[in-house]
Amino acid sequence: MMSDIAEDETSFYSNAEDYWRDVSPTVDGMLGGYGSISSIDLNGSKAFLQKFLGEGEGKTGTGCALDCGAGIGRISKRLLLPLFHTVDLVDVTQEFLDKAKTYLGQDGQRVGNYFCCGLQDFAPEKGRYDVIWIQWVIGHLTDSHLVEFLRRCQSALRPNGLIIIKDNVAYEGVVPDEVDSSVCRELGIVRKLVGQAGLRIIHEEQQMNFPKEIYQVHTLALR
């Protein structure tokens, strides 16, 4: 499936950009009409992330985080900005980043950078980030671009830094979504691509209490 996409990479990316350009810059828009799950999602993410933050041996710092596929800043506002001193946002849709500047309110003063860029082309600054948060966006990257992006993320980490992937997982294989021009990979494939990037999974959890009709969502902490 992904080999077909690689052959038609240009339209895979441009169709996704076209899709998101027409999505309303709201929490409900970011979550495909499932705005009601936002708090459950964020509470689960916070519990996951706080296992790693703090003082002491092997703990991850709280200086700077990167929100990948940030949209209007839903995750930055309620997860990353409360925990980190500085947060950078990257998203392919300029309108979402413009909206983030008002949506984040006072805490937006601690945003370091707003990058308008697709992750396949984005190179985070080396050694800048304690945590790189990548949620509901890896399906918009081809396998090879995902591996390359994760490698760039690894070099962008500070000592004891973490890459977090939180995303839908398919029951089997790779499931294409023609509507938003993305794919959903089974967990085994995600793990394999993480390994190809030279990263290891240090912790993994399934997000609980989501509606039964949506894909399972798993969170992976990588170093």
Side-chain angles (χ1 to χ4, degrees):
M1 168 60 218
M2 286 307 285
S3 57
D4 299 344
I5 284 171
E7 284 169 25
D8 200 15
E9 211 171 77
T10 309
S11 61
F12 177 64
Y13 287 118
S14 64
N15 290 346
E17 287 188 40
D18 291 345
Y19 169 82
W20 286 106
R21 207 173 283 124
D22 290 335
V23 168
S24 75
T26 61
V27 169
D28 210 44
M30 299 302 97
L31 294 176
Y34 281 93
S36 59
I37 69 170
S38 188
S39 288
I40 298 167
D41 167 57
L42 290 159
N43 289 339
S45 296
K46 187 175 181 184
F48 184 96
L49 190 51
Q50 285 184 317
K51 293 177 171 67
F52 305 100
L53 303 181
E55 302 296 321
E57 185 71 25
K59 288 289 193 179
T60 299
T62 55
C64 190
L66 174 64
D67 185 355
C68 297
I72 63 168
R74 181 186 73 90
I75 292 164
S76 287
K77 184 180 179 78
R78 290 195 40 208
L79 176 69
L80 300 177
L81 281 164
L83 295 173
F84 293 87
H85 184 262
T86 306
V87 176
D88 290 347
L89 284 72
V90 56
D91 196 274
V92 75
T93 307
Q94 185 63 50
E95 187 192 359
F96 294 164
L97 295 174
D98 292 342
K99 174 70 175 183
K101 290 169 187 173
T102 52
Y103 177 72
L104 294 174
Q106 284 291 104
D107 287 335
Q109 293 171 8
R110 291 187 291 108
V111 171
N113 300 283
Y114 294 91
F115 299 108
C116 186
C117 189
L119 298 185
Q120 70 276 14
D121 300 316
F122 182 65
E125 182 185 326
K126 285 188 167 56
R128 176 169 170 81
Y129 299 106
D130 294 294
V131 166
I132 296 177
W133 193 273
I134 308 169
Q135 183 164 350
W136 282 324
V137 69
I138 64 168
H140 283 301
L141 294 174
T142 64
D143 287 356
S144 60
H145 280 160
L146 176 54
V147 169
E148 288 164 17
F149 178 62
L150 289 173
R151 286 180 183 145
R152 294 195 297 274
C153 286
Q154 186 175 28
S155 70
L157 292 177
R158 291 178 177 173
N160 295 321
L162 279 177
I163 298 165
I164 312 277
I165 292 175
K166 185 170 186 178
D167 221 303
N168 302 338
V169 296
Y171 289 106
E172 191 177 6
V174 179
V175 182
D177 185 333
E178 303 294 341
V179 176
D180 68 357
S181 191
S182 71
V183 296
C184 183
R185 301 172 175 94
E186 67 173 76
L187 198 50
I189 294 173
V190 177
R191 290 184 185 127
K192 189 180 85 175
L193 296 172
V194 164
Q196 285 175 15
L199 291 155
R200 60 191 174 88
I201 299 166
I202 61 167
H203 189 60
E204 186 181 309
E205 285 179 19
Q206 183 182 343
Q207 170 70 54
M208 305 311 285
N209 303 316
F210 272 2
K212 292 281 184 284
E213 72 270 16
I214 66 174
Y215 283 114
Q216 284 190 2
V217 171
H218 284 250
T219 312
L220 289 69
L222 320 173
R223 270 190 179 137

